[in-house]
Amino acid sequence: MAAKTLYDKLWDAHVVNDNGDGSALIYIDRQLLHEVTSPQAFDGLRLAKRQPWRLDANLAVADHNVPTTDRSVGIEDPISRAQVDALDANCDEYGITEFKMNDARQGIVHVIGPEQGATLPGMTVVCGDSHTSTHGAFGALAFGIGTSEVEHALATQTLVLKKSKNMRVTVRGKVAPGITAKDIVLAIIGRIGTAGGNGHTIEFAGEAIADLSMEGRMTVCNMAIEAGARAGLVAVDATTIAYVQNRPFSPKGESLAKAIAWWNTLHSDEAAVFDREVELDAASIQPQVTWGTSPEMVLPVDGRVPNPAREADPVRRNSIERALQYMGVTADQPITEIAIDKVFIGSCTNSRIEDLRAAASVLRGKRIAGNVKLALAVPGSGLVKRQAESEGLDQVFIDAGFEWREPGCSMCLGMNADQLQPGERCASTSNRNFEGRQGAGGRTHLVSPAMAAAAAVAGRFVDIRSL
Amino acid sequence: MQPFTIVTGRVAPLDRANVDTDAIIPKQYLKSIKKTGFGPFLFDDWRYLDKGDLDIDPATRRKNPEFVLNGPKHAGSTILIARENFGCGSSREHAVWALSDYGFRAVIAPGFADIFFNNSFKNGFFPLALRADEVDALFKESATSADFQLTIDLPAQTVSTPAGLKFAFEIDPFRKDCLIRGLDEIGLTLQHADAIRAYESRRRDTAPWLFA
Ligand code: SF4
């Protein structure tokens, strides 16, 4: 039998029907639903008088529009409220399991799936959200879909898909102390660019990836989409199998033994051939900070903002100039001289317990700088929040001058009230630094949780290795 | 989806070319979280004299007595006729949803914008192309007849009028089949329902933990 990549194995295990034209009908094991991209899918079902194919394959949660402040007063914005109400009504009508806004298990859809064991190795996982790539950390084939596909998956438990190409990014050796998963993935994006993974599924491999916890692997796969790949993957190993056990949705007893036997096969064969291979040296990765308006505009913290005059290619020169202007930074400015107005620790990239611990360890016994107007800590889920509180991390954040909020997407995209004002500069642990992403005119610098915390204390970016 | 075979219905003549999707359903309605309920807002700017929005009850608004859909003659129409390049402009599928929700099953015109054309078939709505002179003949007969009805016979690929006109039309065989059988993309996939069930039962044996 020909050697297969992990992606090949996952694909082959889910083919219901090969259409013979490069596309296939692929079975979907898990669909995660949230309030923004599902209402018209449910309405489509109703219109066509169809029922969901398999209720137990779905799990729903409202995250994008929910307020991160006191929820007893409900949602103020009528459009946000209508979306959340529609999700509640649809889940109630069809009998789909939903963690409602005031459920302790509510949180960002990509945080709660793994947390609940609803994301498991070997699954196909879809959600109407591009950061569904996160779940690939479990050796699951996970990718974002549009609303008509949400409806298709609800109605048929399948999708018609074209197979993508295989790409492997290997991070060789060990990272230096203080270097996190976020730095690794930003360095990868800096290297291959935001279109680097277009048309491919990226498998992240190498010692530095294997060394990561499951949370770290989720951070890396989360941003596969920023590297241009619809899906990212990490092979299943002992770390994966240890994580997924004893969770509400994960297998128990005899099933578990059977599952583990299969999960242990979920890695690329030794002789498997990839369409594209990229290698990075882990030891060379430094703490990363984005300086521009695309995740590939990223530099080591000891770097300087690029000078367009030194860029020969006119298209790139132009995009550097535009980014400098939007971001309000100057050519050759040292990253460590960029002062910030706000700090956001949260999002599906970095809102898990290890992220909060990393930030808190920098903040312990310190205060945010005078020029920092607002510092938000937004846990990824109610359970993460509860765990953090049991460890006293909430108090560390509050003592440092942070606001300790309710879980949700929050200032990652500012669909709720958490937004940047025009011109405000934010050190953010989220995944997109596009123009206006965190609020019209807002300026986003993507960093790791520890780097965001350090920036909060210093009022500007600092090298956490120097603390 | 409702199958489309032989449809006989009242006709609304919309004597305009380049009817764009913004005219079919203006942008303020795109905030809706639904796929249904757009019927009352179809051709909103032409149909009403005051400006509407999602939260304004259309029953309270002033209707434009001049607009074709507002007169008794064309009440309950299920077939729309229009001029060249119907459905141009933005890609909003809401345009088709609005036409369907109003009760239209088909629109007959000399030509359609691409995206609108494709979106129509996804929703079991028939964008039927006839030659410009044939469409013109339909407009003329509509103007002189008190209760103008058309019959679209999709299996036979003809449009016929009470006065005895009969026009043949072309349609892609695959699309024709989907319309007749009421198949949208989901419907097409559901033709593989047995294969999906067979896959599931295999999977239930090998990976029982994936099924609650
Ligand atoms: S946290 Fe941000 S990136 Fe993640 S799902 Fe929410 S809005 Fe999307």
Side-chain angles (χ1 to χ4, degrees), chain A residues 63-64 108-110 129 131 222 347-348 409 412-413 431 437:
Chain A
D63 55 4
H64 285 63
I108 304 171
V109 65
H110 308 308
D129 186 279
H131 288 100
N222 176 271
S347 89
C348 58
C409 293
C412 173
L413 88 168
N431 46 46
R437 167 77 176 184

Side-chain angles (χ1 to χ4, degrees), chain A residues 29 41 46 92 105 111 260 310 339 355 384 414:
Chain A
D29 294 314
R46 256 191 300 275
D92 290 348
R105 299 166 297 178
V111 174
I260 291 176
R310 281 196 295 276
D355 299 317
V384 169

Side-chain angles (χ1 to χ4, degrees), chain A residues 13-14 17 25 27 29 39-40 43-44 47 50 53-54 56 79 82 86 123 151-152 155-156 158 251 255 258-259, chain B residues 31-36 184-187 189-190 192-193 195-197 199-200 203 205-206 208-212:
Chain A
H14 290 89
N17 186 58
L25 195 61
Y27 192 79
D29 294 314
Q40 259 127 5
D43 223 36
L47 208 57
R50 291 189 173 114
W53 181 276
R54 231 188 93 195
D56 67 321
I79 294 172
M123 273 184 164
E151 183 182 341
H152 194 285
T156 71
T158 62
S255 260
K258 216 169 169 177
Chain B
K31 283 184 297 189
S32 164
I33 50 172
K34 301 176 77 66
K35 232 173 166 172
T36 48
D184 53 6
E185 278 163 26
I186 292 174
T189 293
L190 287 173
H192 297 291
I196 301 172
R197 271 186 217 106
Y199 175 91
E200 270 179 341
R203 198 96 165 121
D205 289 342
T206 54
W209 63 90
L210 294 176
F211 299 82

Side-chain angles (χ1 to χ4, degrees), chain A residues 5-8 10 123 133 135-142 166 169 201-205 209 217 220-221 224 231-235 268:
Chain A
T5 65
L6 172 55
Y7 173 60
D8 294 339
L10 293 170
M123 273 184 164
S133 61
H135 309 261
F138 290 83
L141 179 56
N166 281 292
V169 174
T201 291
I202 299 180
E203 179 172 341
F204 298 98
I209 301 293
R217 294 177 192 183
V220 171
C221 287
L233 286 171
V234 175
S268 291

Side-chain angles (χ1 to χ4, degrees), chain A residues 41-269:
Chain A
F42 280 108
D43 223 36
L45 281 188
R46 256 191 300 275
L47 208 57
K49 301 195 171 48
R50 291 189 173 114
Q51 287 296 317
W53 181 276
R54 231 188 93 195
L55 291 174
D56 67 321
N58 297 285
L59 177 62
V61 71
D63 55 4
H64 285 63
N65 283 283
V66 297
T68 57
T69 47
D70 181 12
R71 288 181 177 168
S72 60
V73 296
I75 305 174
E76 206 178 315
D77 176 55
I79 294 172
S80 290
R81 190 174 57 235
Q83 286 191 337
V84 174
D85 287 350
L87 182 68
D88 291 355
N90 284 323
C91 290
D92 290 348
E93 177 183 338
Y94 288 104
I96 287 172
T97 305
E98 183 199 8
F99 298 160
K100 294 214 162 74
M101 191 166 83
N102 291 312
D103 190 308
R105 299 166 297 178
Q106 182 271 341
I108 304 171
V109 65
H110 308 308
V111 174
I112 67 156
E115 185 172 75
Q116 292 293 322
T119 302
L120 293 170
M123 273 184 164
T124 40
V125 179
V126 298
C127 175
D129 186 279
S130 60
H131 288 100
T132 309
S133 61
T134 310
H135 309 261
F138 290 83
L141 179 56
F143 49 89
I145 56 177
T147 294
S148 56
E149 288 176 301
V150 172
E151 183 182 341
H152 194 285
L154 274 171
T156 71
Q157 213 54 50
T158 62
L159 288 172
V160 180
L161 297 173
K162 277 207 161 42
K163 201 176 171 193
S164 55
K165 289 187 181 156
N166 281 292
M167 174 166 175
R168 179 161 58 188
V169 174
T170 307
V171 188
R172 297 227 176 274
K174 291 198 178 293
V175 291
I179 300 303
T180 68
K182 184 66 163 284
D183 301 306
I184 293 175
V185 71
L186 284 173
I188 291 170
I189 295 166
R191 166 80 168 276
I192 68 173
T194 48
N198 277 3
H200 293 77
T201 291
I202 299 180
E203 179 172 341
F204 298 98
E207 190 182 355
I209 301 293
D211 280 350
L212 291 173
S213 68
M214 285 317 295
E215 298 195 2
R217 294 177 192 183
M218 283 188 252
T219 301
V220 171
C221 287
N222 176 271
M223 293 192 73
I225 187 75
E226 274 69 45
R230 208 170 163 195
L233 286 171
V234 175
V236 174
D237 62 8
T239 305
T240 324
I241 291 171
Y243 181 99
V244 297
Q245 292 182 51
N246 300 315
R247 293 179 185 269
F249 288 74
S250 60
K252 317 270 167 352
E254 209 180 302
S255 260
L256 177 62
K258 216 169 169 177
I260 291 176
W262 184 49
W263 293 344
N264 277 322
T265 68
L266 297 176
H267 49 76
S268 291
D269 293 334

